């Protein structure tokens, strides 16, 4: 069942990093100003835009377009500290405000619209109050869901209930805020959110991955965070009391870090993580302060500490003279600090990416790897793709970064997996697995498997390319002769030479009909010491490219368990034993 997005009112302050630099550092926002992060423009003033400065430009290019450009370093703490008076002003009109990021906050539109005389009246009241209290220009957008409300706020628009899908359909795909995905969609001919939303969800997931599927939900007007969070238990809240009131930012930052680590440890003990954080403080004069921070992802200990530090900095530093008649800071120091986790999820419910948090970090990694490819060539950066193959080394294919990560040979599901290598068992498998060979019927010969007692027994059945079952023939697997799972943990780039002996000390050989001369009892790898074999399984024969004599290869593979608990994948080829991989 799909839950309808909540009617959301979002307040947005244009060019907030520039305004924050003016409020905190005194940089005049009416001049050409650009805020830079990682040598790229992340925000600029209106006058800088008139000179051709745009987000994403490098510093040198931005200064080339506007020689008189004032450059300011990006500081999230400064942005959050300066935004606190704005959030407090919104909270004086409506309750339940969530900070999306410095410069944008949201709340449910139902409450203020009911007691202020409608959505339009509520939007005008909030914008006017922020302007009078904080001397900050802002715009409000109202729509179904946070994403649509954020886009509506760019135009100061109120989207009618039920009209969010139609409103989003005409917007360009650049509104998703994902440059790499946007560029790819443009090249595929998808230019609007409506075109993107019309694509089948399953195809989008298969082609663009999880992030593309998330963007597809946004384009279709479905909120990017379903209301499927559970209420946290009461004992997850952490509280700290201070004998000496906290009235300095550095002391508050230290207290915030300690309390954030305590909260993160408590959540981790329950296997949980939070996506929203409530910060409550009580001053020595009994003044109560409260704020809720929202985060797209799971809040780590460092992320919790940052947000608590930013919030305390905002409370204790005040509005720096831009707050009008409102008190610039609490009347006394903080004597109690309380963190309330909200939006609690199971920690495995949202998997972070390889590069950390979703969004900006992943885009930076993509740009860095693409630049390395531009300098050293496409093959300089590769990723591994699992595909078809009969040995562990054949199943991994390296694909240049940015190329489609498709398996070499997709096919129908394989036969059900049989047990993997024995681990410390006193005997080998009771019967050999059916033969799965690359060669047709003539390579499917009866297989004999030696048991720990030395007696040989043939397999129960070995047929050409299929296994007989009571319900009929099983489907042909995509790679006959493939090893059963689990896959080995370490695949050796160059197999190691080895020798295998039976209990009498004689070498173990496998004849042309795949019969094992005796049960393997001892293994010697290279010049190492002999190791006792306590369990084994096989052989699995592979007869590859028999039609090309120069490329033909025939070998048999075994899984062995050693007395020390190790498990190895062995292969015998041309009478020589080799160690191909190691199981974990």
């Amino acid at each position: 069942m799909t839950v309808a997005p909540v009617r959301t009112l979002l307040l947005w302050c244009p060019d907030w990093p520039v305004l924050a630099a003016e409020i905190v550092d005194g940089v005049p926002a009416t001049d050409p100003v650009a805020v830079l992060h990682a040598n790229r423009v992340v925000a600029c003033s209106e006058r800088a835009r008139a000179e051709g400065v745009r987000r994403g430009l490098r510093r040198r290019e931005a200064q080339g377009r506007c020689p008189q450009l004032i450059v300011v370093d990006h500081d999230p703490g400064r942005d959050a500290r300066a935004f606190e008076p704005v959030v407090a002003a919104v909270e004086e009109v409506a309750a339940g405000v969530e900070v999306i990021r410095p410069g944008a906050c949201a709340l449910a539109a139902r409450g203020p619209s009911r007691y202020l005389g409608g959505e339009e009246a509520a939007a005008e009241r909030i914008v006017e109050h922020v302007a009078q209290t904080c001397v900050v220009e802002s715009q409000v957008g109202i729509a179904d869901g946070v994403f649509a409300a954020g886009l509506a706020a760019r135009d100061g628009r109120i989207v009618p209930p039920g009209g969010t899908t139609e409103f989003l359909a005409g917007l360009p795909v650049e509104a998703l805020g994902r440059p790499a995905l946007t560029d790819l969609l443009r090249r595929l001919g998808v230019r609007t959110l409506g075109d993107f939303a019309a694509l089948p969800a399953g195809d989008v997931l298969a082609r663009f991955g999880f992030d593309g599927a998330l963007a597809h939900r946004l384009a279709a007007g479905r909120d990017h965070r379903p209301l499927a969070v559970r209420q946290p238990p009461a004992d997850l809240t952490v509280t700290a009391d201070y004998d000496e009131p906290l009235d300095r930012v550095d002391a508050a930052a230290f207290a915030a870090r300690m309390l954030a680590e305590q909260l993160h440890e408590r959540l981790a003990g329950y296997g949980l993580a939070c996506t929203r954080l409530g910060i409550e403080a009580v001053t020595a004069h009994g003044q109560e302060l409260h704020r809720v921070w929202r985060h797209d992802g799971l809040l780590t200990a460092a992320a919790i500490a940052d947000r608590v530090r930013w919030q305390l900095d905002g409370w204790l530093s005040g509005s720096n003279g831009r707050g009008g008649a409102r008190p610039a800071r609490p009347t006394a120091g903080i004597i109690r600090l309380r963190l309330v986790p909200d939006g609690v999820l199971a920690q495995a419910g949202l998997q972070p990416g390889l590069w950390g948090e979703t969004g900006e970090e992943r885009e930076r990694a993509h740009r860095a790897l693409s630049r390395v490819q531009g300098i050293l060539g496409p093959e300089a950066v590769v990723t591994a793709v699992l595909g078809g193959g009969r040995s562990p080394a054949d199943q991994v294919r390296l694909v240049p970064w940015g190329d489609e990560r498709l398996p070499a040979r997709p096919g129908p599901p394989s036969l059900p997996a049989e047990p993997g290598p024995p681990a410390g068992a006193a005997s080998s498998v009771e019967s050999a697995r059916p033969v799965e060979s690359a060669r047709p019927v003539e390579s499917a010969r009866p297989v004999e498997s030696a048991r720990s007692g030395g007696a040989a027994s043939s397999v129960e059945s070995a047929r050409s390319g299929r296994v007989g079952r009571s319900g009929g023939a099983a489907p042909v697997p995509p790679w006959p002769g493939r090893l059963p799972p689990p896959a080995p943990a370490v695949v050796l780039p160059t197999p190691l030479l080895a020798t295998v002996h039976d209990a009498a000390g004689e070498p173990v050989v496998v004849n042309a009909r795949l019969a094992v001369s005796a049960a393997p009892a001892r293994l010697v790898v290279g010049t190492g010491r002999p190791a006792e074999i306590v369990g084994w399984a096989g052989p699995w024969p592979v007869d590859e490219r028999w039609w090309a004599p120069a490329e033909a290869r025939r070998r048999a593979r075994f899984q062995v368990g050693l007395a020390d608990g190790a498990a190895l994948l062995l292969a015998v080829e041309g009478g020589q034993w080799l160690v191909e991989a190691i199981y974990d």
Side-chain angles (χ1 to χ4, degrees), residues 2 12 28 36 47 83 106 114 146-147 204 231 236 246 262 281 317 354 364 403 507 534:
T2 302
W12 172 64
L36 269 67
R47 185 172 172 184
F83 192 57
R114 293 180 67 180
V146 177
F147 174 71
V204 171
Q231 283 296 113
L236 291 181
L246 301 176
Q262 182 181 349
S317 298
L354 176 63
R364 290 178 60 191
D403 289 2
V534 296

Side-chain angles (χ1 to χ4, degrees), residues 149-442:
L151 296 178
R154 305 280 173 165
D155 299 326
R157 180 173 176 178
I158 299 178
V159 180
T164 298
T165 302
E166 182 180 356
F167 162 69
L168 294 175
L171 298 178
V173 291
E174 285 79 6
L176 292 171
R178 292 165 168 82
L181 178 62
T182 298
D183 180 66
L184 181 55
L185 291 175
R186 283 281 184 181
R187 287 188 279 117
L188 294 175
V190 180
R191 303 187 179 279
T192 65
L193 296 183
D195 296 338
F196 188 36
L199 300 177
D203 294 344
V204 171
L205 178 62
R207 178 63 180 83
F208 302 106
F210 175 78
D211 188 63
L214 176 61
H216 184 258
R217 286 181 54 86
L218 298 180
R222 298 190 294 271
D223 203 359
H224 68 300
R225 181 174 297 168
L227 299 178
V229 297
R230 47 170 283 190
Q231 283 296 113
D235 59 352
L236 291 181
T237 299
V238 295
T239 305
D241 295 318
Y242 307 101
D243 296 333
E244 294 292 333
L246 301 176
D247 54 3
R248 300 196 324 270
V249 174
D250 55 347
F254 179 78
R257 184 170 65 253
M258 299 291 292
L259 202 60
E261 292 177 355
Q262 182 181 349
L263 174 61
H264 189 265
E265 290 177 1
R266 181 168 297 184
L267 289 171
Y270 289 92
L272 302 174
C274 64
T275 59
R276 290 194 301 271
L277 177 67
I279 306 172
E280 301 177 357
V282 179
T283 68
H285 291 172
Q287 184 180 2
E288 296 184 0
L289 307 172
H290 177 75
R291 184 68 65 239
V292 176
W293 280 82
R294 179 188 180 107
H295 179 64
D296 285 331
L298 301 182
L299 284 166
T300 62
I304 294 174
D306 285 342
R307 281 151 181 80
V308 178
R309 175 171 55 84
W310 295 343
Q311 189 59 59
L312 292 178
D313 197 1
W315 280 333
L316 296 177
S317 298
S319 61
N320 201 24
R322 294 292 294 270
R326 186 168 46 84
R329 55 179 296 167
T331 57
I334 295 174
I335 60 172
R336 177 175 299 171
L337 186 61
R338 188 166 180 255
L339 302 184
V340 182
D342 195 7
V344 176
L345 303 169
Q347 198 160 12
L350 184 59
Q351 178 65 38
L354 176 63
W355 316 109
E357 297 180 1
T358 59
E360 182 179 354
E361 297 300 326
R362 179 173 49 198
E363 295 300 327
R364 290 178 60 191
H366 176 72
R367 291 194 298 268
L369 296 178
S370 299
R371 179 165 177 79
V372 172
Q373 284 183 315
I375 297 174
L376 303 179
E379 302 296 335
V381 182
V382 294
T383 56
V385 179
L386 290 178
R390 297 178 180 85
S391 66
D394 298 336
Q395 294 171 19
V396 178
R397 183 169 58 97
L398 297 179
V399 177
W401 176 263
D403 289 2
E404 292 190 58
R405 304 180 72 253
L406 297 177
R409 177 186 167 186
S414 302
L415 293 174
E418 298 187 72
S427 63
S428 66
V429 291
E430 297 185 357
S431 61
R433 277 100 169 155
V435 177
E436 297 174 350
S437 174
R439 193 170 180 173
V441 178
E442 52 267 27

Side-chain angles (χ1 to χ4, degrees), residues 567-579:
L568 306 176
L569 175 64
L570 305 182
V572 57
E573 182 176 359
Q576 177 64 60
W577 288 86
L578 303 169
V579 179

